[in-house]
Amino acid sequence: MHTPREGEAAPRLWGSYVALGDSFTEGMDDPWPDGSFRGWADRLAAHLARARPQLRYANLAIRGKLLGQIIDEQLPAAIDLSPDLVTFCAGGNDILRPSSDPDALAAQFEEATAELRATGADVVICTGFDTKEVPIMRRVRGKVATYNAHLRAIADKHNCHVVDLWSMAVLQDPRAWSEDRLHLSPEGHERVALRACVELGIPVTADWSEPWPEAPPADWLTLRRADLKWAKQHFVPWLGRRLTGKSSADGIEPKRPQLAELCEKP
Protein backbone atom coordinates (compact mmCIF):
# COMPACT_ATOMS: atom_id res chain seq x y z
CA MET A 1 0.00 0.00 0.00
CA HIS A 2 1.21 3.50 -0.76
CA THR A 3 -0.44 6.62 0.62
CA PRO A 4 1.09 10.09 0.79
CA ARG A 5 2.96 10.84 4.02
CA GLU A 6 2.98 14.19 5.76
CA GLY A 7 5.51 16.41 4.01
CA GLU A 8 5.77 14.10 1.00
CA ALA A 9 5.64 15.86 -2.38
CA ALA A 10 2.39 15.45 -4.26
CA PRO A 11 2.60 13.06 -7.24
CA ARG A 12 2.96 14.55 -10.68
CA LEU A 13 -0.35 14.57 -12.56
CA TRP A 14 0.57 13.47 -16.07
CA GLY A 15 -1.90 14.52 -18.76
CA SER A 16 -0.95 11.88 -21.34
CA TYR A 17 0.61 8.40 -21.23
CA VAL A 18 1.88 6.14 -24.01
CA ALA A 19 2.90 2.49 -23.52
CA LEU A 20 5.47 0.83 -25.80
CA GLY A 21 6.39 -2.84 -25.90
CA ASP A 22 5.40 -6.41 -26.67
CA SER A 23 2.86 -8.89 -25.26
CA PHE A 24 3.75 -7.98 -21.67
CA THR A 25 2.57 -4.40 -22.22
CA GLU A 26 -0.22 -5.33 -24.64
CA GLY A 27 -1.73 -7.20 -21.71
CA MET A 28 -1.72 -10.91 -22.51
CA ASP A 29 -3.25 -12.90 -20.71
CA ASP A 30 -5.48 -10.47 -18.85
CA PRO A 31 -8.74 -10.51 -20.84
CA TRP A 32 -11.77 -8.29 -20.72
CA PRO A 33 -15.14 -10.10 -21.06
CA ASP A 34 -15.13 -9.29 -24.79
CA GLY A 35 -11.83 -11.16 -25.27
CA SER A 36 -9.60 -8.11 -25.73
CA PHE A 37 -6.64 -7.70 -23.41
CA ARG A 38 -6.26 -5.32 -20.50
CA GLY A 39 -2.91 -5.75 -18.76
CA TRP A 40 -0.71 -3.83 -16.36
CA ALA A 41 -0.33 -0.75 -18.59
CA ASP A 42 -4.12 -0.32 -18.90
CA ARG A 43 -4.39 -0.87 -15.16
CA LEU A 44 -1.67 1.71 -14.53
CA ALA A 45 -3.51 4.18 -16.77
CA ALA A 46 -6.67 3.63 -14.71
CA HIS A 47 -4.76 4.38 -11.50
CA LEU A 48 -3.27 7.51 -13.08
CA ALA A 49 -6.70 8.63 -14.27
CA ARG A 50 -8.06 8.53 -10.74
CA ALA A 51 -5.59 11.30 -9.91
CA ARG A 52 -6.21 13.11 -13.21
CA PRO A 53 -9.55 12.09 -14.77
CA GLN A 54 -8.77 13.76 -18.10
CA LEU A 55 -5.70 11.57 -18.66
CA ARG A 56 -5.29 10.54 -22.29
CA TYR A 57 -3.75 7.12 -22.91
CA ALA A 58 -2.39 5.18 -25.90
CA ASN A 59 -0.99 1.65 -25.97
CA LEU A 60 1.13 0.82 -29.03
CA ALA A 61 2.44 -2.53 -27.76
CA ILE A 62 2.07 -5.64 -29.94
CA ARG A 63 2.76 -9.23 -28.96
CA GLY A 64 5.84 -10.93 -30.39
CA LYS A 65 7.68 -7.74 -31.29
CA LEU A 66 11.47 -7.60 -31.03
CA LEU A 67 13.29 -4.58 -29.65
CA GLY A 68 14.32 -3.34 -33.10
CA GLN A 69 10.75 -3.58 -34.36
CA ILE A 70 9.44 -1.67 -31.35
CA ILE A 71 12.01 1.06 -31.93
CA ASP A 72 11.29 1.25 -35.68
CA GLU A 73 7.50 1.03 -35.50
CA GLN A 74 6.38 2.31 -32.11
CA LEU A 75 9.00 4.88 -31.10
CA PRO A 76 8.28 7.38 -33.93
CA ALA A 77 4.54 7.08 -33.30
CA ALA A 78 5.05 7.70 -29.60
CA ILE A 79 7.19 10.77 -30.22
CA ASP A 80 4.54 12.14 -32.60
CA LEU A 81 1.95 11.81 -29.81
CA SER A 82 4.09 14.01 -27.47
CA PRO A 83 3.07 12.29 -24.21
CA ASP A 84 4.04 13.41 -20.72
CA LEU A 85 4.74 9.83 -19.61
CA VAL A 86 6.04 6.78 -21.50
CA THR A 87 6.52 3.19 -20.36
CA PHE A 88 9.19 1.48 -22.46
CA CYS A 89 9.54 -2.25 -21.77
CA ALA A 90 11.19 -4.28 -24.52
CA GLY A 91 13.85 -6.86 -25.31
CA GLY A 92 12.33 -9.95 -23.72
CA ASN A 93 11.55 -11.65 -27.05
CA ASP A 94 15.10 -10.96 -28.20
CA ILE A 95 16.62 -12.47 -25.05
CA LEU A 96 14.79 -15.75 -25.71
CA ARG A 97 16.65 -16.16 -29.00
CA PRO A 98 19.91 -18.15 -28.70
CA SER A 99 21.92 -15.69 -30.79
CA SER A 100 20.88 -12.58 -28.85
CA ASP A 101 23.50 -10.33 -27.26
CA PRO A 102 22.25 -8.42 -24.19
CA ASP A 103 25.05 -5.87 -24.55
CA ALA A 104 24.05 -5.02 -28.11
CA LEU A 105 20.37 -4.93 -27.15
CA ALA A 106 21.13 -2.51 -24.34
CA ALA A 107 22.91 -0.16 -26.73
CA GLN A 108 19.78 -0.06 -28.91
CA PHE A 109 17.58 0.42 -25.87
CA GLU A 110 19.66 3.32 -24.58
CA GLU A 111 19.55 5.17 -27.89
CA ALA A 112 15.76 4.90 -27.97
CA THR A 113 15.49 5.95 -24.31
CA ALA A 114 17.58 9.05 -25.02
CA GLU A 115 15.21 9.96 -27.88
CA LEU A 116 12.20 9.65 -25.59
CA ARG A 117 13.80 11.68 -22.81
CA ALA A 118 14.80 14.38 -25.31
CA THR A 119 11.09 15.06 -25.88
CA GLY A 120 10.70 15.98 -22.22
CA ALA A 121 8.63 12.90 -21.39
CA ASP A 122 9.12 11.01 -18.15
CA VAL A 123 10.11 7.42 -18.95
CA VAL A 124 9.45 4.22 -17.02
CA ILE A 125 11.63 1.17 -17.74
CA CYS A 126 10.77 -2.39 -16.66
CA THR A 127 13.51 -4.91 -15.95
CA GLY A 128 13.12 -8.55 -16.97
CA PHE A 129 11.58 -11.15 -14.67
CA ASP A 130 13.70 -13.60 -12.71
CA THR A 131 13.18 -16.82 -14.70
CA LYS A 132 14.76 -19.27 -12.26
CA GLU A 133 11.42 -21.03 -11.62
CA VAL A 134 10.20 -20.99 -15.24
CA PRO A 135 10.71 -24.17 -17.31
CA ILE A 136 12.77 -23.65 -20.49
CA MET A 137 13.21 -19.94 -19.77
CA ARG A 138 15.50 -20.52 -16.80
CA ARG A 139 18.28 -21.21 -19.31
CA VAL A 140 18.35 -17.51 -20.28
CA ARG A 141 18.45 -16.26 -16.68
CA GLY A 142 22.06 -15.08 -16.97
CA LYS A 143 21.30 -13.07 -20.11
CA VAL A 144 18.27 -11.50 -18.43
CA ALA A 145 20.41 -10.50 -15.45
CA THR A 146 23.03 -8.93 -17.73
CA TYR A 147 20.37 -7.01 -19.66
CA ASN A 148 18.78 -5.86 -16.39
CA ALA A 149 22.10 -4.45 -15.18
CA HIS A 150 22.30 -2.41 -18.38
CA LEU A 151 18.70 -1.21 -17.99
CA ARG A 152 19.35 0.05 -14.48
CA ALA A 153 22.46 1.88 -15.66
CA ILE A 154 20.49 3.42 -18.55
CA ALA A 155 17.78 4.54 -16.13
CA ASP A 156 20.37 6.16 -13.86
CA LYS A 157 22.08 7.92 -16.76
CA HIS A 158 18.87 9.27 -18.31
CA ASN A 159 16.92 9.85 -15.09
CA CYS A 160 14.20 7.27 -15.76
CA HIS A 161 11.91 5.42 -13.36
CA VAL A 162 12.49 1.67 -12.98
CA VAL A 163 9.94 -1.03 -12.19
CA ASP A 164 12.19 -3.83 -10.95
CA LEU A 165 10.30 -6.98 -11.93
CA TRP A 166 13.31 -9.17 -11.08
CA SER A 167 13.01 -8.32 -7.36
CA MET A 168 9.25 -8.94 -7.19
CA ALA A 169 9.34 -12.24 -5.34
CA VAL A 170 5.54 -12.29 -5.32
CA LEU A 171 5.70 -13.03 -9.06
CA GLN A 172 7.47 -16.34 -8.36
CA ASP A 173 4.09 -17.82 -7.37
CA PRO A 174 2.41 -19.80 -10.20
CA ARG A 175 -0.80 -17.84 -9.59
CA ALA A 176 0.92 -14.75 -10.99
CA TRP A 177 1.13 -16.46 -14.39
CA SER A 178 -1.33 -17.67 -16.99
CA GLU A 179 -1.49 -21.23 -18.26
CA ASP A 180 1.18 -20.58 -20.89
CA ARG A 181 3.74 -19.71 -18.15
CA LEU A 182 5.00 -16.88 -20.35
CA HIS A 183 2.40 -14.17 -19.70
CA LEU A 184 1.06 -12.81 -16.43
CA SER A 185 -2.34 -13.68 -15.04
CA PRO A 186 -4.82 -10.85 -14.31
CA GLU A 187 -3.62 -10.76 -10.69
CA GLY A 188 0.00 -10.72 -11.87
CA HIS A 189 -0.71 -7.75 -14.13
CA GLU A 190 -2.38 -5.90 -11.24
CA ARG A 191 0.65 -6.51 -9.02
CA VAL A 192 2.92 -4.95 -11.66
CA ALA A 193 0.58 -1.98 -12.09
CA LEU A 194 0.60 -1.39 -8.33
CA ARG A 195 4.40 -1.63 -8.27
CA ALA A 196 4.58 0.96 -11.07
CA CYS A 197 2.27 3.26 -9.07
CA VAL A 198 4.63 3.07 -6.10
CA GLU A 199 7.57 3.98 -8.34
CA LEU A 200 5.66 6.95 -9.75
CA GLY A 201 4.37 8.10 -6.37
CA ILE A 202 0.72 7.44 -7.23
CA PRO A 203 -1.36 6.69 -4.11
CA VAL A 204 -2.95 3.23 -4.11
CA THR A 205 -4.83 1.33 -1.43
CA ALA A 206 -3.61 -2.19 -2.33
CA ASP A 207 -0.15 -3.65 -1.70
CA TRP A 208 1.67 -5.23 -4.65
CA SER A 209 3.79 -7.34 -2.27
CA GLU A 210 0.92 -8.79 -0.22
CA PRO A 211 1.54 -12.54 0.22
CA TRP A 212 -0.68 -14.92 -1.69
CA PRO A 213 -3.28 -16.89 0.29
CA GLU A 214 -2.21 -20.33 1.41
CA ALA A 215 -2.75 -22.92 -1.31
CA PRO A 216 -2.94 -26.69 -0.82
CA PRO A 217 0.19 -28.46 -2.10
CA ALA A 218 -0.21 -30.21 -5.45
CA ASP A 219 0.81 -33.84 -5.71
CA TRP A 220 3.56 -35.00 -8.06
CA LEU A 221 1.17 -36.56 -10.60
CA THR A 222 -0.93 -33.38 -10.86
CA LEU A 223 2.18 -31.30 -11.46
CA ARG A 224 3.46 -33.63 -14.20
CA ARG A 225 0.08 -33.64 -15.94
CA ALA A 226 0.13 -29.84 -15.87
CA ASP A 227 3.62 -29.88 -17.39
CA LEU A 228 2.49 -32.16 -20.22
CA LYS A 229 -0.57 -30.01 -20.90
CA TRP A 230 1.59 -26.89 -21.00
CA ALA A 231 4.09 -28.49 -23.38
CA LYS A 232 1.38 -29.64 -25.78
CA GLN A 233 -0.80 -26.53 -25.77
CA HIS A 234 1.80 -23.77 -25.40
CA PHE A 235 5.47 -24.73 -25.72
CA VAL A 236 5.23 -26.84 -28.88
CA PRO A 237 3.20 -24.18 -30.81
CA TRP A 238 5.63 -21.48 -29.60
CA LEU A 239 8.60 -23.54 -30.75
CA GLY A 240 6.90 -24.20 -34.07
CA ARG A 241 6.53 -20.47 -34.71
CA ARG A 242 10.22 -19.97 -33.95
CA LEU A 243 11.28 -22.74 -36.33
CA THR A 244 9.05 -21.54 -39.18
CA GLY A 245 9.78 -17.84 -38.75
CA LYS A 246 6.16 -17.00 -37.97
CA SER A 247 5.24 -14.38 -35.40
CA SER A 248 2.32 -14.01 -33.03
CA ALA A 249 2.32 -10.36 -34.16
CA ASP A 250 1.21 -11.22 -37.70
CA GLY A 251 -1.98 -9.29 -38.47
CA ILE A 252 -2.12 -7.59 -35.05
CA GLU A 253 -2.54 -3.82 -34.76
CA PRO A 254 -2.06 -1.64 -31.65
CA LYS A 255 -5.13 -1.74 -29.44
CA ARG A 256 -5.02 1.99 -28.58
CA PRO A 257 -3.07 3.74 -31.38
CA GLN A 258 -4.17 7.26 -30.43
CA LEU A 259 -4.28 9.20 -27.19
CA ALA A 260 -7.80 9.12 -25.77
CA GLU A 261 -9.44 9.33 -22.39
CA LEU A 262 -10.14 6.04 -20.69
CA CYS A 263 -13.54 4.43 -20.97
CA GLU A 264 -13.60 1.46 -18.60
CA LYS A 265 -15.22 -1.65 -20.01
CA PRO A 266 -17.87 -3.45 -17.96
Side-chain angles (χ1 to χ4, degrees):
M1 179 183 301
H2 177 82
T3 55
R5 297 184 296 271
E6 184 177 353
E8 183 178 359
R12 178 175 176 183
L13 300 181
W14 293 275
S16 54
Y17 163 37
V18 173
L20 310 181
D22 50 33
S23 60
F24 168 60
T25 302
E26 184 185 347
M28 297 173 71
D29 284 321
D30 180 14
W32 288 103
D34 65 3
S36 62
F37 291 117
R38 190 182 189 186
W40 72 270
D42 286 22
R43 290 169 179 269
L44 172 59
H47 286 296
L48 293 170
R50 292 187 185 102
R52 182 161 182 171
Q54 289 75 40
L55 174 84
R56 295 177 301 135
Y57 166 55
N59 189 319
L60 309 180
I62 295 178
R63 68 197 73 172
K65 290 295 185 181
L66 301 173
L67 175 60
Q69 294 172 320
I70 292 169
I71 291 172
D72 290 343
E73 300 166 12
Q74 298 177 27
L75 181 65
I79 291 174
D80 286 345
L81 292 172
S82 300
D84 300 329
L85 177 68
V86 176
T87 54
F88 180 31
C89 307
N93 289 321
D94 300 81
I95 291 292
L96 290 174
R97 295 173 181 251
S99 61
S100 64
D101 177 358
D103 300 324
L105 290 171
Q108 287 183 278
F109 192 99
E110 179 171 9
E111 185 175 344
T113 299
E115 288 190 53
L116 289 169
R117 289 291 289 136
T119 69
D122 288 326
V123 175
V124 178
I125 292 171
C126 294
T127 69
F129 299 101
D130 186 350
T131 60
K132 67 178 179 179
E133 302 297 337
V134 185
I136 307 300
M137 289 176 62
R138 63 170 60 99
R139 63 185 175 83
V140 300
R141 189 178 185 228
K143 288 168 58 171
V144 175
T146 299
Y147 189 51
N148 283 352
H150 282 299
L151 293 179
R152 294 187 188 96
I154 291 167
D156 286 344
K157 181 178 178 180
H158 297 279
N159 195 25
C160 301
H161 300 274
V162 178
V163 177
D164 188 4
L165 302 177
W166 180 281
S167 68
M168 291 180 66
V170 70
L171 298 182
Q172 297 297 324
D173 191 287
R175 287 169 288 186
W177 298 87
S178 68
E179 282 191 356
D180 70 2
R181 304 181 184 180
L182 184 63
H183 300 103
L184 293 173
S185 66
E187 178 64 20
H189 278 285
E190 179 61 13
R191 300 279 184 137
V192 172
L194 292 171
R195 177 67 183 83
C197 285
V198 171
E199 173 59 35
L200 292 171
I202 302 300
V204 289
T205 58
D207 183 357
W208 67 265
S209 62
E210 181 180 356
W212 295 86
E214 287 292 330
D219 62 84
W220 183 89
L221 183 59
T222 299
L223 292 173
R224 298 295 76 77
R225 284 174 174 168
D227 288 342
L228 289 173
K229 180 181 178 182
W230 167 78
K232 180 179 180 180
Q233 294 186 0
H234 301 289
F235 177 65
V236 171
W238 174 83
L239 182 62
R241 289 195 300 272
R242 289 292 178 271
L243 294 175
T244 59
K246 295 181 179 179
S247 171
S248 58
D250 293 344
I252 304 296
E253 298 293 330
K255 64 180 183 180
R256 293 181 64 95
Q258 299 296 328
L259 288 170
E261 291 185 19
L262 287 176
C263 180
E264 289 281 357
K265 300 185 181 183

Short mmCIF file of all heavy atoms in Angstrom, two decimals, residues 32-53:
data_model
loop_
_atom_site.label_atom_id
_atom_site.label_comp_id
_atom_site.label_asym_id
_atom_site.label_seq_id
_atom_site.Cartn_x
_atom_site.Cartn_y
_atom_site.Cartn_z
N TRP A 32 -10.47 -8.87 -21.01
CA TRP A 32 -11.77 -8.29 -20.72
C TRP A 32 -12.84 -9.33 -21.10
O TRP A 32 -12.53 -10.29 -21.84
CB TRP A 32 -11.99 -7.03 -21.54
CG TRP A 32 -11.19 -5.84 -21.14
CD1 TRP A 32 -10.09 -5.35 -21.77
CD2 TRP A 32 -11.44 -4.95 -20.04
NE1 TRP A 32 -9.62 -4.22 -21.14
CE2 TRP A 32 -10.44 -3.95 -20.08
CE3 TRP A 32 -12.41 -4.89 -19.04
CZ2 TRP A 32 -10.38 -2.91 -19.15
CZ3 TRP A 32 -12.35 -3.85 -18.11
CH2 TRP A 32 -11.35 -2.88 -18.16
N PRO A 33 -14.08 -9.16 -20.67
CA PRO A 33 -15.14 -10.10 -21.06
C PRO A 33 -15.31 -10.25 -22.57
O PRO A 33 -15.73 -11.31 -23.06
CB PRO A 33 -16.40 -9.50 -20.42
CG PRO A 33 -15.87 -8.79 -19.21
CD PRO A 33 -14.55 -8.22 -19.64
N ASP A 34 -14.96 -9.20 -23.34
CA ASP A 34 -15.13 -9.29 -24.79
C ASP A 34 -13.95 -9.98 -25.48
O ASP A 34 -13.92 -10.10 -26.71
CB ASP A 34 -15.36 -7.91 -25.40
CG ASP A 34 -14.15 -6.98 -25.26
OD1 ASP A 34 -13.10 -7.42 -24.74
OD2 ASP A 34 -14.26 -5.81 -25.67
N GLY A 35 -12.96 -10.46 -24.70
CA GLY A 35 -11.83 -11.16 -25.27
C GLY A 35 -10.62 -10.30 -25.57
O GLY A 35 -9.54 -10.83 -25.83
N SER A 36 -10.76 -8.98 -25.55
CA SER A 36 -9.60 -8.11 -25.73
C SER A 36 -8.77 -8.12 -24.45
O SER A 36 -9.22 -8.57 -23.40
CB SER A 36 -10.06 -6.69 -26.07
OG SER A 36 -10.83 -6.15 -25.01
N PHE A 37 -7.54 -7.63 -24.56
CA PHE A 37 -6.64 -7.70 -23.41
C PHE A 37 -6.54 -6.38 -22.67
O PHE A 37 -6.54 -5.31 -23.27
CB PHE A 37 -5.24 -8.15 -23.86
CG PHE A 37 -5.20 -9.59 -24.31
CD1 PHE A 37 -4.87 -9.90 -25.61
CD2 PHE A 37 -5.51 -10.61 -23.43
CE1 PHE A 37 -4.83 -11.22 -26.04
CE2 PHE A 37 -5.48 -11.93 -23.85
CZ PHE A 37 -5.15 -12.24 -25.15
N ARG A 38 -6.44 -6.47 -21.38
CA ARG A 38 -6.26 -5.32 -20.50
C ARG A 38 -4.78 -5.18 -20.18
O ARG A 38 -4.04 -4.57 -20.92
CB ARG A 38 -7.11 -5.51 -19.23
CG ARG A 38 -7.20 -4.27 -18.35
CD ARG A 38 -8.00 -4.55 -17.10
NE ARG A 38 -8.26 -3.33 -16.35
CZ ARG A 38 -8.84 -3.31 -15.16
NH1 ARG A 38 -9.21 -4.44 -14.58
NH2 ARG A 38 -9.04 -2.15 -14.53
N GLY A 39 -4.33 -5.75 -19.08
CA GLY A 39 -2.91 -5.75 -18.76
C GLY A 39 -2.47 -4.64 -17.82
O GLY A 39 -3.22 -3.73 -17.49
N TRP A 40 -1.22 -4.74 -17.38
CA TRP A 40 -0.71 -3.83 -16.36
C TRP A 40 -0.68 -2.38 -16.82
O TRP A 40 -0.92 -1.47 -16.02
CB TRP A 40 0.69 -4.27 -15.91
CG TRP A 40 1.75 -4.01 -16.94
CD1 TRP A 40 2.15 -4.87 -17.93
CD2 TRP A 40 2.53 -2.83 -17.09
NE1 TRP A 40 3.13 -4.28 -18.70
CE2 TRP A 40 3.40 -3.03 -18.19
CE3 TRP A 40 2.60 -1.62 -16.40
CZ2 TRP A 40 4.29 -2.06 -18.62
CZ3 TRP A 40 3.51 -0.65 -16.82
CH2 TRP A 40 4.34 -0.89 -17.93
N ALA A 41 -0.40 -2.13 -18.12
CA ALA A 41 -0.33 -0.75 -18.59
C ALA A 41 -1.71 -0.10 -18.57
O ALA A 41 -1.86 1.06 -18.16
CB ALA A 41 0.27 -0.70 -20.00
N ASP A 42 -2.75 -0.83 -18.99
CA ASP A 42 -4.12 -0.32 -18.90
C ASP A 42 -4.51 -0.08 -17.44
O ASP A 42 -5.17 0.90 -17.09
CB ASP A 42 -5.11 -1.31 -19.51
CG ASP A 42 -5.06 -1.35 -21.03
OD1 ASP A 42 -4.04 -0.95 -21.61
OD2 ASP A 42 -6.06 -1.80 -21.63
N ARG A 43 -4.10 -1.00 -16.58
CA ARG A 43 -4.39 -0.87 -15.16
C ARG A 43 -3.67 0.33 -14.56
O ARG A 43 -4.23 1.07 -13.74
CB ARG A 43 -4.01 -2.16 -14.43
CG ARG A 43 -4.92 -3.35 -14.77
CD ARG A 43 -4.35 -4.66 -14.23
NE ARG A 43 -5.21 -5.79 -14.53
CZ ARG A 43 -6.19 -6.25 -13.75
NH1 ARG A 43 -6.44 -5.64 -12.59
NH2 ARG A 43 -6.91 -7.30 -14.09
N LEU A 44 -2.41 0.54 -14.98
CA LEU A 44 -1.67 1.71 -14.53
C LEU A 44 -2.37 2.99 -14.99
O LEU A 44 -2.52 3.95 -14.22
CB LEU A 44 -0.24 1.67 -15.05
CG LEU A 44 0.60 2.93 -14.84
CD1 LEU A 44 0.73 3.27 -13.35
CD2 LEU A 44 1.98 2.77 -15.47
N ALA A 45 -2.81 3.01 -16.24
CA ALA A 45 -3.51 4.18 -16.77
C ALA A 45 -4.76 4.47 -15.94
O ALA A 45 -5.08 5.64 -15.67
CB ALA A 45 -3.89 3.95 -18.24
N ALA A 46 -5.46 3.43 -15.53
CA ALA A 46 -6.67 3.63 -14.71
C ALA A 46 -6.31 4.25 -13.37
O ALA A 46 -7.02 5.13 -12.87
CB ALA A 46 -7.39 2.30 -14.52
N HIS A 47 -5.21 3.79 -12.77
CA HIS A 47 -4.76 4.38 -11.50
C HIS A 47 -4.38 5.85 -11.71
O HIS A 47 -4.71 6.71 -10.89
CB HIS A 47 -3.58 3.61 -10.94
CG HIS A 47 -3.92 2.27 -10.36
ND1 HIS A 47 -4.74 2.13 -9.26
CD2 HIS A 47 -3.56 1.01 -10.71
CE1 HIS A 47 -4.86 0.84 -8.95
NE2 HIS A 47 -4.16 0.15 -9.83
N LEU A 48 -3.67 6.13 -12.79
CA LEU A 48 -3.27 7.51 -13.08
C LEU A 48 -4.49 8.40 -13.30
O LEU A 48 -4.52 9.56 -12.88
CB LEU A 48 -2.37 7.54 -14.32
CG LEU A 48 -0.99 6.88 -14.21
CD1 LEU A 48 -0.35 6.78 -15.59
CD2 LEU A 48 -0.10 7.66 -13.27
N ALA A 49 -5.51 7.85 -13.96
CA ALA A 49 -6.70 8.63 -14.27
C ALA A 49 -7.52 8.96 -13.02
O ALA A 49 -8.30 9.92 -13.04
CB ALA A 49 -7.57 7.88 -15.28
N ARG A 50 -7.36 8.19 -11.96
CA ARG A 50 -8.06 8.53 -10.74
C ARG A 50 -7.50 9.81 -10.14
O ARG A 50 -8.21 10.56 -9.47
CB ARG A 50 -7.95 7.38 -9.73
CG ARG A 50 -8.71 6.14 -10.18
CD ARG A 50 -8.74 5.05 -9.12
NE ARG A 50 -9.36 3.86 -9.67
CZ ARG A 50 -8.70 2.79 -10.08
NH1 ARG A 50 -7.39 2.76 -10.00
NH2 ARG A 50 -9.35 1.74 -10.58
N ALA A 51 -6.20 10.06 -10.38
CA ALA A 51 -5.59 11.30 -9.91
C ALA A 51 -5.83 12.43 -10.89
O ALA A 51 -5.92 13.60 -10.49
CB ALA A 51 -4.08 11.09 -9.70
N ARG A 52 -5.93 12.09 -12.19
CA ARG A 52 -6.21 13.11 -13.21
C ARG A 52 -7.22 12.52 -14.19
O ARG A 52 -6.85 11.86 -15.17
CB ARG A 52 -4.93 13.51 -13.93
CG ARG A 52 -5.16 14.60 -14.97
CD ARG A 52 -3.88 15.31 -15.33
NE ARG A 52 -4.11 16.38 -16.29
CZ ARG A 52 -3.20 17.28 -16.64
NH1 ARG A 52 -2.00 17.23 -16.12
NH2 ARG A 52 -3.48 18.22 -17.52
N PRO A 53 -8.50 12.73 -13.97
CA PRO A 53 -9.55 12.09 -14.77
C PRO A 53 -9.46 12.36 -16.26
O PRO A 53 -9.98 11.56 -17.06
CB PRO A 53 -10.84 12.65 -14.17
CG PRO A 53 -10.48 13.00 -12.77
CD PRO A 53 -9.07 13.49 -12.83
#
